[in-house]
Amino acid sequence: MYEHILIPFDGSDEAQKGARHGIELAAELGSTAHGLYIIDLPGVPRAMSLRDDEEDLREEYRTYGEEVLSELGDIAADHDVEYEWTIRSGTPSEEIVDYADEEGMDVIVLGSAYRGKLGNLLGGTTDKVVRSATVPVITERMAMDEV
C-alpha cells in the first residue's frame, strides 16, 4: 500500500508524535521511512550584518537537523524499519510537498500541535501540507493535555 513514507521531522513534540506513528506504520507495512528536515532561515531579506553570519547559522541548523534525523533513525532501527534521511532548505510546507513529489513518496505522516479552537484559523505547516500535497497526508494531532 505505502512503500515509501515521508516523515518530516524537526524534533519538536508534535513532530515526535507524528514520527512515531509514521515509523509504526512503516513497520506494519514493511515500508521505507524517509526522514526530512527543513532548514528554514527566518527573516528574509535579512540585514547585511545578519547575512555575514548566515553560513554559521545554516551550519548550526544542518548540525541540529542531522542530530534529530539520527534520533529518528534510532526509532526506525528499534522497529526494524528501513530508513533514509535528507536535509533541504526552504519553506517547510513547500519543501515537504516538493520532496514528496520529486522522490515518489506514497504518503506523508506528520504531527500537528494542539492550537486551541481559534488556532486552526491561522493554519500552520501541517495545514498547508494537507491543502497542497498530491499524495495522502496522515496527521497525528497532539491533544490539549499533551501540550
Side-chain angles (χ1 to χ4, degrees):
M1 175 180 223
Y2 299 134
E3 290 181 39
H4 298 279
I5 298 174
L6 176 58
I7 305 173
F9 191 67
D10 65 4
S12 65
D13 291 342
E14 58 268 19
Q16 290 198 23
K17 185 169 178 85
R20 290 198 180 278
H21 184 76
I23 295 294
E24 290 169 1
L25 180 62
E28 188 70 29
L29 299 174
S31 306
T32 300
H34 298 262
L36 176 65
Y37 178 80
I38 310 297
I39 297 172
D40 179 25
L41 294 178
V44 177
R46 289 176 283 290
M48 191 60 120
S49 63
L50 292 177
R51 291 164 84 204
D52 293 338
D53 295 329
E54 183 175 331
E55 253 338 286
D56 292 339
L57 187 58
R58 187 175 299 280
E59 189 55 39
E60 286 179 35
Y61 279 130
R62 176 168 292 287
T63 299
Y64 175 76
E66 290 171 357
E67 289 172 8
V68 296
L69 289 172
S70 177
E71 291 172 16
L72 183 58
D74 292 342
I75 297 169
D78 290 345
H79 288 80
D80 294 321
V81 169
E82 187 176 332
Y83 174 71
E84 300 174 6
W85 61 270
T86 303
I87 296 177
R88 293 175 67 150
S89 294
T91 303
S93 59
E94 292 173 10
E95 290 299 322
I96 292 166
V97 171
D98 289 349
Y99 182 87
D101 288 342
E102 292 165 11
E103 300 298 323
M105 297 294 109
D106 298 307
V107 65
I108 302 168
V109 179
L110 66 164
S112 180
Y114 177 81
R115 294 189 312 260
K117 293 177 183 176
L118 297 178
N120 289 329
L121 297 175
L122 303 174
T125 298
T126 301
D127 299 316
K128 292 173 186 172
V129 170
V130 167
R131 287 194 307 268
S132 58
T134 58
V135 299
V137 179
I138 299 171
T139 62
E140 187 71 16
R141 185 170 299 280
M142 292 183 74
M144 182 172 57
D145 63 347
E146 293 177 300
V147 176

